[in-house]
Amino acid sequence: MESNVRVRFAPSPTGPLHIGGVRTALYNYLFAKKYNGTFILRIEDTDQTRYVANAEQYIINALEWCAIPFDEGPGKNEKFGPYRQSERKDIYKQYADQLIETGKAYYCFDTSEELDAHRKAHEAEGKTFIYNWHNRAKGSLVNSLVLTADEVENRINSGDKYVIRFKTPQDEVLKMEDEIRGNITIDTNTLDDKILFKSDGMPTYHLANIVDDHLMEISHVIRGEEWLPSMPLHVLLYKAFGWETPKFAHLPLILKPVGKGKLSKRDGDKLGFPVFPLAYTNLESGDVSRGYKEDGYFTDAFINMLAFLGWNPGTEQEIFSLEALIEAFDLKRVSKSGAKFNPDKTKWFQQQYMQLKSDETITELFLPILAAKGIVIANEDEKARVQNIVSSIKERAIFVADLWDLSSYFFETPTAYDAKNVKKNWKEGTPELMQELVEIIKNIEDFSSTNTEKEIKEWITNKEIGFGKVMQPLRLSLVGKLAGPHLFDIIATIGKQETINRIENAIAKL
Ligand code: GLU
C-alpha cells in the first residue's frame, strides 16, 4: 500500500546534474521507498535566462542510469501534473494575488535604476540596502504600502512594470525544525522581502516551489544545504497561505577532496575524476565532460559510494545494494557537516563490485570488448574459456575495460617483448633451453595446468638448473612481459600448439 510519504527531486535544468544533485535525488528515492512513498521529479524551469536545452533530458537519463526511477514526473503518472513549472505558469499568479488580497504581499514599482541608487547610497554610508520592514513603508520606495489603492491600480492598468514582494512578518521569532539539523530559530526582522512574482510574468523559485510542493502534496522536502537560507521564507509562506508545512531535511554539502569548499563542476576536470553521472556535452562550447558511466563505473558501485557521502549506517558495513540501502537509510543518520568527496574511495567501491559480480556477468560485459578487437566468441565452449580467463584475472581489474590489458595475451600472440625484462632474463643459452622445452612440451599428453606444471618442473629439476632460468623466459615468450596469472594456467588455456608457436616465435625474435 502506498503511504502518504511524497518527496520530490526538483532540479532546475540549467546544465548537467552534478553528483551533489544525484545524491539529493538518491536520498529522496531511498526515503520514499523505505516508507512505501512516492518519488516525484519536478522540473523547475521558471528562470528562463538560465535554461539549457539538453539539461532536462540529461537529468532523466541520469536517473535512469542510476536506477532510481521517479514514480511521477514529466510524461509519467501525471496525476498532479504538469511537472514542468514552465507549463504551470498560469497557476502561480492566482496565489500571488491571494497573498496581495490578504495583505501578506505587496506590489513594488521601483525601477532597477532606483534600486541601484538606493544600494549605492547605502554603500556610501557603509551600509547594506535591504528591502524589508524598516524601509518598505517609509516613502522612499515605490510600492503598494506607500501608494494609494487608486495610484496602484492606475499604474498597473497603464502597464507599469511591477514585482510582487512578500511582506515578511515583523518582530517575530520564527521557530523551525529540520529533520537533520534540529531546531532553528530566526528573527524575522533579519529577512528581506523576497520577490515572489517577477515583472516578466513568471513566479520566482520561492513562490513556484511552495505552491507546487503544496499542490503536489509533498510531505518531506529533502534538498541540499544551499537551500537552508530559504527555509524561513518558505515556512512563512506556508503560514501566510494557511497551509500545512512539510517536514524539511537539508543535506550536507559535498566538499572538495582537498582544500576547502564545495565540490564544484570544475573540480572534476582539474583533479581528474568525473563529477557528473553521465558524460555531458556543453551545447555552446562543444566541451565534453566525463561521466561515471562512460568511465566504466557500475551503477550499483556509484550509488553505494554516493549513499555514503553524508550518511552512514552506524555499523562497519560498507557494501550495500540498493535494496539494502532502502532498508538501512535513515534521515537521522545523515550528518550535519559537509562530506568530503574521496576519488580513491570511489574507485574502491567500483573494485569491490567488480569482485562481487559473477564471472558470468563480467564475461558478458567483456565480450563486446573482445568483439571490437576482432575476437569473435562463436560458441558456448569458447565462452566458457573466456569465463575461465576472466576468473583468473578479475581480482586485478577495477573496470571491465581493464580486462583486455590484463588478458590480451590469452587471445593474441605477443608481438613485442618488454625490453628491460628481455635484457635481464633472455641470456646466452636461453634459446637452446627453450628449444629443448619445446620438445618436452610436444610430448606432454595431458595438457592440464597441473600436469604441465608437474612435467615441466620435473624436467627442470632433472637438469639441475634454477627454475627462474626457464620460467622467466617462458613467461616472456607467452605473455611478452613478466606479468599475468599462474603460468601453467596460461599454458593450459592457450593450448599446446599455441604454446609451442609462441616459444618458437620468441626464439626467432629475441
Ligand atoms: N530548483 C531547486 C534546485 O535547483 C530546488 C530546490 C528545492 O529542492 O527546493 O535545486
Side-chain angles (χ1 to χ4, degrees):
M1 250 274 286
E2 219 169 77
S3 72
N4 50 12
V5 166
R6 291 177 56 83
V7 296
R8 83 304 192 270
F9 176 49
S12 297
T14 55
L17 207 53
H18 147 288
I19 51 175
V22 187
R23 189 204 50 184
T24 300
L26 173 63
Y27 284 14
N28 273 283
Y29 175 87
L30 296 176
F31 186 79
K33 297 300 135 184
K34 181 167 182 111
Y35 297 106
N36 277 324
T38 306
F39 173 52
I40 296 153
L41 174 67
R42 184 173 72 225
I43 301 295
E44 301 210 323
D45 56 350
T46 53
D47 188 351
Q48 303 190 315
T49 56
R50 294 178 64 219
Y51 181 78
V52 172
N54 61 352
E56 179 183 322
Q57 194 54 50
Y58 179 93
I59 291 165
I60 290 173
N61 294 347
L63 295 181
E64 196 179 298
W65 179 68
C66 290
I68 50 173
F70 53 90
D71 304 307
E72 288 172 26
K76 193 168 171 190
N77 287 330
E78 297 212 353
K79 56 178 173 181
F80 290 86
Y83 291 82
R84 229 174 255 121
Q85 289 188 327
S86 58
E87 291 167 17
R88 301 171 63 81
K89 255 193 280 193
D90 301 337
I91 299 176
Y92 308 115
K93 181 69 180 21
Q94 72 192 74
Y95 288 99
D97 290 345
Q98 185 182 325
L99 291 181
I100 295 263
E101 276 155 33
T102 54
K104 315 266 186 192
Y106 55 99
Y107 295 109
C108 299
F109 301 93
D110 315 271
T111 63
S112 41
E113 292 76 31
E114 284 164 355
L115 291 176
D116 253 359
H118 287 303
R119 246 172 247 131
K120 291 222 173 81
H122 274 70
E123 260 166 41
E125 291 178 45
K127 293 187 199 152
T128 316
F129 173 69
I130 305 176
Y131 207 124
N132 70 359
W133 64 276
H134 84 283
N135 59 9
R136 65 189 169 205
K138 274 195 185 146
S140 52
L141 298 169
V142 194
N143 59 44
S144 58
L145 303 174
V146 176
L147 304 171
T148 65
D150 280 346
E151 283 171 325
V152 170
E153 211 182 309
N154 285 339
R155 276 180 180 257
I156 292 177
N157 289 342
S158 62
D160 264 19
K161 280 208 177 298
Y162 66 86
V163 300
I164 296 176
R165 277 182 199 269
F166 184 57
K167 192 174 169 203
T168 312
Q170 201 179 328
D171 303 329
E172 253 183 51
V173 176
L174 182 64
K175 289 198 167 77
M176 304 176 290
E177 201 182 312
D178 184 276
E179 298 293 295
I180 296 166
R181 280 143 221 279
N183 293 326
I184 303 170
T185 305
I186 192 154
D187 170 0
T188 57
N189 287 0
T190 60
L191 302 171
D192 59 342
D193 288 354
K194 281 270 185 296
I195 297 177
L196 302 178
F197 206 82
K198 296 179 283 184
S199 55
D200 64 0
M202 285 290 245
T204 56
Y205 152 72
H206 302 294
L207 179 68
N209 185 271
I210 261 49
V211 167
D212 286 348
D213 280 351
H214 172 69
L215 295 178
M216 294 180 181
E217 298 180 5
I218 299 303
S219 61
H220 294 74
V221 171
I222 303 170
R223 61 184 176 191
E225 184 183 309
E226 61 273 32
W227 301 103
L228 192 58
S230 300
M231 186 177 167
L233 169 62
H234 293 182
V235 171
L236 289 169
L237 276 169
Y238 281 101
K239 289 190 178 193
F241 282 117
W243 295 337
E244 196 188 329
T245 312
K247 292 207 178 333
F248 285 93
H250 288 90
L251 308 175
L253 295 175
I254 297 182
L255 305 173
K256 292 180 197 303
V258 282
K260 282 205 186 106
K262 198 171 141 176
L263 181 72
S264 79
K265 293 191 174 183
R266 268 157 286 117
D267 285 330
D269 295 333
K270 268 197 306 219
L271 302 168
F273 57 83
V275 288
F276 302 117
L278 313 177
Y280 177 76
T281 308
N282 183 307
L283 291 179
E284 265 173 31
S285 64
D287 290 349
V288 180
S289 305
R290 53 204 272 211
Y292 279 88
K293 177 183 175 210
E294 292 76 8
D295 268 27
Y297 282 84
F298 294 132
T299 295
D300 37 15
F302 175 68
I303 289 294
N304 197 154
M305 174 282 290
L306 215 52
F308 272 74
L309 276 182
W311 168 85
N312 72 75
T315 64
E316 294 294 301
Q317 185 183 343
E318 288 187 284
I319 300 299
F320 281 82
S321 65
L322 190 60
E323 293 68 39
L325 284 173
I326 292 170
E327 171 106 44
F329 187 73
D330 185 352
L331 279 179
K332 294 271 175 290
R333 294 209 60 88
V334 173
S335 71
K336 291 191 199 52
S337 49
K340 227 180 201 359
F341 181 74
N342 182 344
D344 295 332
K345 190 75 188 184
T346 306
K347 270 209 174 132
W348 178 85
F349 274 110
Q350 168 65 17
Q351 193 170 21
Q352 299 301 308
Y353 276 84
M354 186 77 188
Q355 308 316 317
L356 282 171
K357 290 193 192 290
S358 70
D359 293 344
E360 204 178 340
T361 304
I362 301 295
T363 302
E364 287 302 331
L365 297 171
F366 188 32
L367 292 181
I369 295 179
L370 290 178
K373 303 272 178 196
I375 297 157
V376 182
I377 304 304
N379 55 45
E380 287 304 312
D381 276 357
E382 287 181 17
K383 206 177 192 178
R385 195 175 82 94
V386 176
Q387 194 168 313
N388 278 336
I389 294 172
V390 164
S391 156
S392 71
I393 56 166
K394 203 176 79 174
E395 64 177 26
R396 268 166 295 141
I398 298 180
F399 300 103
V400 174
D402 298 341
L403 295 174
W404 174 253
D405 276 349
L406 290 169
S407 70
S408 60
Y409 50 85
F410 281 113
F411 304 97
E412 289 179 340
T413 310
T415 49
Y417 302 88
D418 183 80
K420 232 164 85 192
N421 287 320
V422 169
K423 202 163 164 230
K424 238 171 96 188
N425 298 289
W426 197 274
K427 301 249 168 71
E428 229 184 274
T430 300
E432 293 74 16
L433 205 53
M434 289 293 109
Q435 199 57 60
E436 225 181 290
L437 178 59
V438 168
E439 295 313 313
I440 297 296
I441 289 175
K442 276 185 186 161
N443 290 322
I444 299 179
E445 291 277 318
D446 169 4
F447 219 69
S448 66
S449 172
T450 35
N451 191 58
T452 50
E453 175 162 11
K454 190 174 127 270
E455 296 208 19
I456 291 175
K457 284 191 172 166
E458 259 170 30
W459 169 71
I460 301 173
T461 313
N462 288 339
K463 283 187 77 71
E464 295 184 348
I465 51 172
F467 276 103
K469 272 210 158 67
V470 175
M471 300 300 274
Q472 306 291 51
L474 179 56
R475 188 177 280 280
L476 268 177
S477 310
L478 301 181
V479 180
K481 55 191 175 205
L482 296 183
H486 189 51
L487 192 56
F488 298 97
D489 287 347
I490 302 178
I491 287 181
T493 309
I494 63 178
K496 191 188 234 175
Q497 196 49 51
E498 179 66 11
T499 303
I500 294 169
N501 289 350
R502 290 191 189 186
I503 300 173
E504 286 180 338
N505 237 334
I507 296 173
K509 284 195 175 164
L510 295 176

